[in-house]
Amino acid sequence: MSVPTVSLDNYSDVRPELADWMREQRWYASSEQSPALTRVGVWTLVDHKHQVGLETHLLLDESGPAPVLYQVPLSFRSAPLLGGERALVERVDGPSGAVYVYDAPHDPAFTRALLALMIDDEAVAGESPDGTEAAGHHALTSPEIRVTDSRVLRGEQSNTSIIFDLVHLNGKPAQPVICKLFRVLSDGQNPDVVVQSALSDAGSRLVPRAVGSVSGSWNDPRVDGGRASGHLAFAQEFIPEVEDAWRVALRSAEAGESFEQLARALGEATAQVHTELARLFPVHEASASDRDAIVASFRDRAAQALAEVPSLASQASAVDAVFAAAAEASWPAFQRIHGDYHLGQVLAVPGRGWVLLDFEGEPLRPLAERSEPDVTLRDVAGMLRSFDYVAGTLAQSDHAEAARAWAHEARDAFIDGYVSRSGLDLRAQRVLLDAFELDKALYEVSYEARNRPDWVSIPVDAIERLANRPR
């Protein structure tokens, strides 16, 4: 069978069918608008069976307030992909016959080639005619395994994750791998890749083992000089048949079971990761400009939340007083942190304990900001808010009062575990911790007002409690 191709000249002006397909994807950020797409780059992989064309298109969308660059892998076949109906982007009829264009993460030819680029020293990306470059980086080099199956993880919004089932060449099962393909690209290194790889390379068992990554460079009109670089994909150990901490905690609260020991262990694990990050990345003492910048961001967030939820207007002066007190407090050192920490970012692994995931940071912050040193209290506050969300989901049930007590116990146990492992007296920094928790609740109230109005009461209750806590 010949290699099916669609000429890059014919596909450089983005076809309406591709734009229509993108608009329906969960990772497309402007779903209410028509995409205004320009292809700024393409990088290729080689199908080892030489039957499928594999191209990853970098498409700049200028339909929204700010341009967004999407990574869109496509596979080109001369015959339909068995079981690939849901992944079909379009069928192109040309002089050499029909070509079927697929969302490539659903195509085994693409997934095999992508994983090989990250674990096989001999695998390389194809040449690009427009200067786009892609290269694999190996944390775990192992050409002596083969892929038996791959599938796309459903439900993700900002990226696409591919799960690989693997076997050794002797037929014994190998540890599965999950590869996260970044759909939105920005100039700079992705903190999820940088932080998890560093922890994994240092031998930490509190994060999945890193397998490899793909990084690249491309033409980007959004960047001074017109050239950008960054991570394109990241593969790591996949831990199957485990639950995240949110599900474990919610089930515990619903059943009226104590979460104290598990919360304490989670606090210890969190502190240990923070300690490891402080060894692996630069740390600096808090300067006046550091403090001023964060307090300013607190106040900006508060202004936005108060504008979106007018019922909070009565809390405006109390909120500002909390942030004013934080500005005068003693601040800990700045270091790398998780940045978007909550129960959904932690796995409960039998025989291993808690395992932390997804170090990308807060999604709404620019990539460069998410890679900057920050205050560990931000992670602590995020987890405390997550315990409150467990109780909030049960607020309308018969378990409401018990759930509030459950959250109080879990919060205290988490802090106890964190203090015991870190040596940092969080209770002595209560004013500052309150400010970070209040900031997180203000972020949540804006999110819920836009996306889940029925949930707004959860962060509103926290804002009122935190803003008016006796000090």
Side-chain angles (χ1 to χ4, degrees):
M1 182 185 298
S2 62
V3 179
T5 60
V6 172
S7 166
L8 292 179
D9 291 336
N10 292 337
Y11 220 75
S12 59
D13 294 329
V14 181
R15 296 168 60 85
E17 292 84 355
L18 178 58
D20 290 343
W21 173 83
M22 282 183 59
R23 189 175 60 242
E24 301 301 320
Q25 306 312 302
R26 290 174 63 88
W27 44 260
Y28 180 67
S30 303
S31 58
E32 299 302 318
Q33 304 181 49
S34 297
L37 303 173
T38 303
R39 198 196 74 186
V40 299
V42 61
W43 61 277
T44 63
L45 290 169
V46 178
D47 172 32
H48 73 284
K49 294 183 178 181
H50 304 292
Q51 296 177 341
V52 183
L54 304 174
E55 302 172 356
T56 297
H57 291 238
L58 307 185
L59 302 176
L60 187 69
D61 178 26
E62 298 180 274
S63 65
V68 179
L69 183 62
Y70 293 98
Q71 181 173 214
V72 184
L74 300 171
S75 65
F76 302 89
R77 289 177 168 265
S78 59
L81 172 65
L82 184 63
E85 294 81 6
R86 295 181 61 180
L88 182 66
V89 175
E90 64 168 314
R91 168 179 162 160
V92 180
D93 292 311
S96 301
V99 174
Y100 297 83
V101 184
Y102 290 96
D103 182 26
H106 295 267
D107 192 321
F110 173 81
T111 59
R112 284 193 302 263
L114 180 64
L115 185 62
L117 189 62
M118 289 183 279
I119 66 173
D120 189 344
D121 287 327
E122 297 183 0
V124 296
E127 295 184 2
S128 169
D130 56 27
T132 302
E133 298 177 349
H137 305 275
H138 321 302
L140 173 67
T141 302
S142 180
E144 297 183 354
I145 60 175
R146 64 182 180 87
V147 178
T148 59
D149 192 19
S150 63
R151 57 197 180 278
V152 172
L153 190 64
R154 294 185 179 180
E156 293 191 306
Q157 292 187 339
S158 58
N159 300 301
T160 297
S161 290
I162 307 163
I163 300 172
F164 294 87
D165 294 325
L166 309 173
V167 296
H168 296 286
L169 294 186
N170 61 11
K172 293 185 178 179
Q175 177 70 44
V177 165
I178 183 169
C179 176
K180 181 184 295 183
L181 183 89
F182 301 116
R183 287 293 191 170
V184 176
L185 301 183
S186 299
D187 185 35
Q189 295 185 317
N190 190 296
D192 195 24
V193 182
V194 173
V195 173
Q196 288 207 68
S197 295
L199 289 168
S200 174
D201 291 348
S204 176
R205 286 180 54 79
L206 292 170
V207 297
R209 181 177 55 166
V211 172
S213 62
V214 179
S215 62
S217 62
W218 58 88
N219 296 323
D220 196 331
R222 304 171 300 170
V223 177
D224 290 342
R227 193 74 178 169
S229 62
H231 289 105
L232 305 173
F234 177 48
Q236 59 189 352
E237 167 193 15
F238 177 64
I239 307 172
E241 298 180 1
V242 296
E243 293 183 301
D244 63 35
W246 170 263
R247 291 179 175 84
V248 175
L250 184 60
R251 188 169 59 247
S252 169
E254 288 175 327
E257 299 171 350
S258 173
F259 200 68
E260 183 176 9
Q261 290 187 348
L262 290 174
R264 181 182 177 88
L266 182 55
E268 292 174 354
T270 304
Q272 184 174 336
V273 167
H274 283 160
T275 300
E276 292 172 354
L277 290 175
R279 289 199 301 263
L280 294 169
F281 294 96
V283 177
H284 68 263
E285 294 303 314
S287 67
S289 61
D290 290 329
R291 295 193 300 270
D292 290 347
I294 289 184
V295 172
S297 73
F298 288 167
R299 289 182 165 132
D300 288 344
R301 184 107 73 186
Q304 179 180 353
L306 292 169
E308 293 180 334
V309 184
S311 63
L312 287 173
S314 62
Q315 302 298 322
S317 60
V319 166
D320 191 67
V322 174
F323 295 153
E328 301 300 323
S330 175
W331 286 55
F334 278 55
Q335 64 164 82
R336 292 299 285 263
I337 65 170
H338 185 283
D340 186 30
Y341 198 45
H342 53 79
L343 288 165
Q345 306 283 43
V346 185
L347 296 180
V349 182
R352 183 168 168 178
W354 297 116
V355 174
L356 282 61
L357 308 171
D358 296 333
F359 286 74
E360 284 191 83
E362 188 179 296
L364 296 182
R365 298 177 68 190
L367 183 65
E369 289 184 12
R370 289 185 266 143
S371 297
E372 291 295 320
D374 205 334
V375 180
T376 54
L377 293 177
R378 191 183 299 278
D379 284 349
V380 174
M383 189 56 68
L384 296 179
R385 291 294 311 126
S386 202
F387 290 129
D388 276 356
Y389 256 77
V390 171
T393 61
L394 301 177
Q396 304 303 318
S397 73
D398 295 336
H399 307 291
E401 189 63 34
R404 283 192 290 271
W406 178 96
H408 182 78
E409 179 187 69
R411 288 166 57 94
D412 281 350
F414 177 84
I415 290 175
D416 287 343
Y418 190 94
V419 170
S420 70
R421 182 59 61 91
S422 68
L424 179 66
D425 189 352
L426 295 182
R427 291 182 174 84
Q429 294 190 316
R430 189 77 246 185
V431 169
L432 192 54
L433 180 56
D434 279 356
F436 276 97
E437 192 175 350
L438 180 57
D439 175 65
K440 183 66 173 177
L442 289 163
Y443 168 84
E444 293 162 0
V445 83
S446 294
Y447 177 87
E448 305 298 10
R450 293 191 299 267
N451 299 283
R452 298 186 299 189
D454 292 344
W455 290 55
V456 166
S457 62
I458 299 175
V460 165
D461 289 347
I463 291 167
E464 293 174 348
R465 184 186 76 244
L466 291 162
N468 297 286
R469 185 201 296 271
R471 292 179 175 82

